[in-house]
Amino acid sequence: MLHTLTLELGDLLDSIDLPVDWVGLRKVREVAIGRSARDGMPQNNSTTISEGVMVEVLINGQIGYGATNILSPTGIKAAATAAYHQAIAASAYQLYPVTTAQRPKVVGQYVSPTVQPFNTLTPGEISEQLSKICHTLKVGEKIVQTSATIITRELETWFVSSNGSDVYQKFLLMTTDYAATAQDGAIIQHRSDRGGLARCYQGGMEYFLTPDLWARVQRVGEQAVELLTAMECPTETTTLVLAPDQLLLQIHESVGHPLELDRILGDERNYAGGSFVKPSDFGNLVYGSPLMNITFDPTVAGEFASYSFDDTGATATREYIIRDGILERGLGSLESQARLDLPGVACSRACSWNRPPIDRMANINLEPGNKSFDEIIGGIERGIYMEANRSWSIDDQRHKFQFSCEYAQLIENGKLTQTIRNPNYRGVTPQFWGNLAQVGNTNTWEMYGSPFCGKGEPNQIVWVGHGAPVAAFTDIEIFGGD
């Protein structure tokens, strides 16, 4: 056994006496701490602790689920019995028979790489730093509001099964956001540190008090004021250059979600829409230009959704989702892969102990190319460079979209010139990615993420990571307005 608690789970597993083909126990313990300040004053200090066990049983080709926070033989047996009766009842409406092949034996562990533990700073010291950040953001009288937020989560999972699985994983998750709002009469502009809660990493306080922290904070305040007198975004079709902090959401919405296999199967359409992708598209669909290489990569140290095993115990490995612009595989569990007879990845994930795992993206990254930032900008006669998402909209097939950014600059004759406010762009997913013309090198590649990706009924909020270089797209429709 890899962890002492799995001994206890093993005993609880042995106490389940039901006529089933397979049983799995997934225990989750999470401690989430959120602290924030506004205008230098404490705004929120909260701690949430959650702990419980999800019991899965397999019988007659059907999986049933039962969850409990009563961590005793009595509580586990009751959850297992509920799962058993659910599976029996659901088997009459079975879509596809599941076998133990979709729940293979796996043994291993994973722990987030960490330099400075969360307790490196006391709560008082963290509050002092948040207040100092707010004061640094206020670069002048036109800054009318400042905010600073830090969220830490310590999440442990244990997974044991009747066929010998034994997995322990520990995740240390760090999210920060610093923002300033500037006003001059009727003009109001908001600037954040990379788009609001986008700085999401696995690790400790080394991602909070970074060497560049105060320069970043100063830049956020200064750019909020700069945007007040910036020119409005023009309306034209031109070359668009996106920073990694905006590509994170472009990848998330127009690549990650449409490639989730449960959407393609139709399981998700009630809640958050389906996908324009069809099962026959895998191996055939030209998703983008030959420069488009997207990976599912749970192995990147420090990226927000790195792990060794998904929540059903499937081993997570780096895989190409799109290679040279061609769609190769989807984001789906072993069950979805079997139903569609398509390759997928280890991405069956649950947000907590009281939710069953479903198909979810994790780390979905655009691989770097060979262009420096200066080379990309230098080769553009006219275009617009955009940073940091402000808002987005995409249809329920993940096809047509529209995004707004916080900050932009005009590109003229190979140089960044005027600052632009209220920049927006729109497109259609395959055509947009088909216009991918230049991809930045590893020096331009940055990783970000989101702690609030929602999906499923009942709703599940999970954390996802996205890494990308700077990238240029030709013939994109740009427009202004709030």
Side-chain angles (χ1 to χ4, degrees):
M1 289 290 180
L2 296 167
H3 193 278
T4 55
L5 187 57
T6 57
L7 290 169
E8 300 174 22
L9 279 183
D11 291 339
L12 292 172
L13 183 68
D14 292 340
S15 72
I16 298 173
D17 184 19
L18 291 169
V20 297
D21 301 318
W22 178 91
V23 182
L25 301 184
R26 175 172 50 88
K27 184 180 187 298
V28 180
R29 186 176 192 274
E30 179 181 6
V31 179
I33 299 174
R35 294 190 174 91
S36 64
R38 185 165 67 186
D39 298 328
M41 300 298 292
Q43 184 73 12
N44 172 61
N45 286 279
S46 62
T47 300
T48 303
I49 300 174
S50 177
E51 187 172 12
V53 172
M54 172 63 76
V55 183
E56 288 184 299
V57 304
L58 172 61
I59 181 172
N60 297 337
Q62 181 69 43
I63 293 178
Y65 304 92
T68 182
N69 59 0
I70 302 173
L71 306 182
S72 67
T74 300
I76 297 298
K77 287 179 181 178
T81 300
Y84 170 78
H85 289 301
Q86 181 191 93
I88 293 294
S91 62
Y93 308 96
Q94 190 175 95
L95 294 174
Y96 186 91
V98 177
T99 71
T100 53
Q102 280 80 60
R103 292 294 185 273
K105 174 183 175 180
V106 62
V107 176
Q109 63 180 352
Y110 171 89
V111 178
S112 298
T114 304
V115 177
Q116 298 178 23
F118 290 155
N119 62 5
T120 301
L121 298 179
T122 67
E125 289 171 332
I126 293 173
S127 293
E128 288 176 6
Q129 293 297 325
L130 294 178
S131 178
K132 183 180 177 181
I133 288 169
C134 287
H135 293 310
T136 305
L137 286 165
K138 192 170 176 60
V139 296
E141 292 305 312
K142 292 190 185 302
I143 299 292
V144 295
Q145 183 173 291
T146 62
S147 64
T149 299
I150 180 172
I151 303 169
T152 63
R153 298 171 69 195
E154 183 172 318
L155 178 69
E156 293 180 280
T157 66
W158 298 261
F159 177 71
V160 297
S161 68
S162 56
N163 61 342
S165 290
D166 188 345
V167 172
Y168 170 70
Q169 299 190 97
K170 181 176 182 178
F171 305 95
L172 298 175
L173 307 171
M174 164 71 73
T175 301
T176 61
D177 180 49
Y178 320 122
T181 301
Q183 182 173 6
D184 185 6
I187 300 174
I188 299 173
Q189 290 291 308
H190 179 84
R191 188 72 169 109
S192 66
D193 185 27
R194 298 300 181 179
L197 297 177
R199 285 195 180 272
C200 302
Y201 306 102
Q202 276 193 45
M205 285 297 172
E206 66 270 18
Y207 287 109
F208 177 36
L209 299 180
T210 60
D212 66 341
L213 171 62
W214 301 109
R216 286 183 4 234
V217 170
Q218 184 79 15
R219 177 175 178 264
V220 168
E222 290 173 350
Q223 288 188 343
V225 174
E226 178 187 346
L227 287 166
L228 292 175
T229 55
M231 66 177 285
E232 287 286 335
C233 181
T235 297
E236 59 184 275
T237 298
T238 189
T239 297
L240 170 66
V241 179
L242 293 182
D245 58 9
Q246 172 59 25
L247 273 167
L248 95 87
L249 198 66
Q250 184 70 56
I251 293 167
H252 184 92
E253 299 294 347
S254 68
V255 178
H257 279 311
L259 296 187
E260 290 166 337
L261 293 184
D262 60 351
R263 290 182 187 272
I264 296 169
L265 282 161
D267 298 348
E268 179 66 8
R269 290 174 187 167
N270 275 4
Y271 177 71
S275 173
F276 71 92
V277 177
K278 303 183 295 295
S280 59
D281 288 335
F282 289 91
N284 301 301
L285 177 66
V286 178
Y287 210 98
S289 83
L291 297 176
M292 185 185 189
N293 291 286
I294 300 283
T295 56
F296 167 86
D297 195 349
T299 70
V300 180
E303 195 164 0
F304 206 37
S306 290
Y307 52 83
S308 291
F309 309 93
D310 74 9
D311 287 326
T312 65
T315 301
T317 56
R318 181 178 187 270
E319 304 288 350
Y320 273 88
I321 305 301
I322 299 169
R323 195 194 310 253
D324 300 331
I326 305 300
L327 177 61
E328 288 194 354
R329 66 175 63 213
L331 304 174
S333 63
L334 294 176
E335 294 101 298
S336 294
Q337 294 175 47
R339 285 171 63 187
L340 285 169
D341 192 23
L342 288 171
V345 296
C347 65
S348 190
R349 306 175 64 203
C351 69
S352 188
W353 57 269
N354 58 359
R355 294 291 189 271
I358 58 176
D359 295 353
R360 302 302 299 262
M361 72 181 90
N363 291 342
I364 308 298
N365 301 335
L366 176 64
E367 295 297 305
N370 58 10
K371 296 282 189 178
S372 70
F373 182 78
D374 289 342
E375 286 174 330
I376 291 176
I377 299 299
I380 298 171
E381 183 175 345
R382 182 173 175 86
I384 294 181
Y385 166 73
M386 296 189 190
E387 292 182 354
N389 188 262
R390 183 174 61 171
S391 66
W392 70 95
S393 175
I394 192 164
D395 69 26
D396 61 4
Q397 294 299 299
R398 303 282 157 175
H399 204 222
K400 297 179 181 178
F401 61 80
Q402 176 176 305
F403 289 92
S404 300
C405 293
E406 290 182 356
Y407 184 85
Q409 289 176 282
L410 196 63
I411 305 170
E412 296 176 294
N413 301 317
K415 296 183 182 299
L416 293 172
T417 57
Q418 299 182 69
T419 299
I420 293 173
R421 70 182 180 215
N422 303 326
N424 308 271
Y425 67 97
R426 63 169 62 102
V428 177
T429 295
Q431 288 88 334
F432 178 84
W433 286 104
N435 290 349
L436 177 63
Q438 297 188 80
V439 180
N441 59 23
T442 54
N443 291 330
T444 74
W445 195 93
E446 298 174 0
M447 62 184 183
Y448 297 100
S450 172
F452 299 125
C453 175
K455 181 182 173 182
E457 294 180 292
N459 190 30
Q460 298 201 39
I461 304 296
V462 300
W463 61 101
V464 296
H466 299 298
V470 173
F473 302 80
T474 58
D475 299 322
I476 304 302
E477 187 178 350
I478 308 295
F479 60 101
D482 295 333

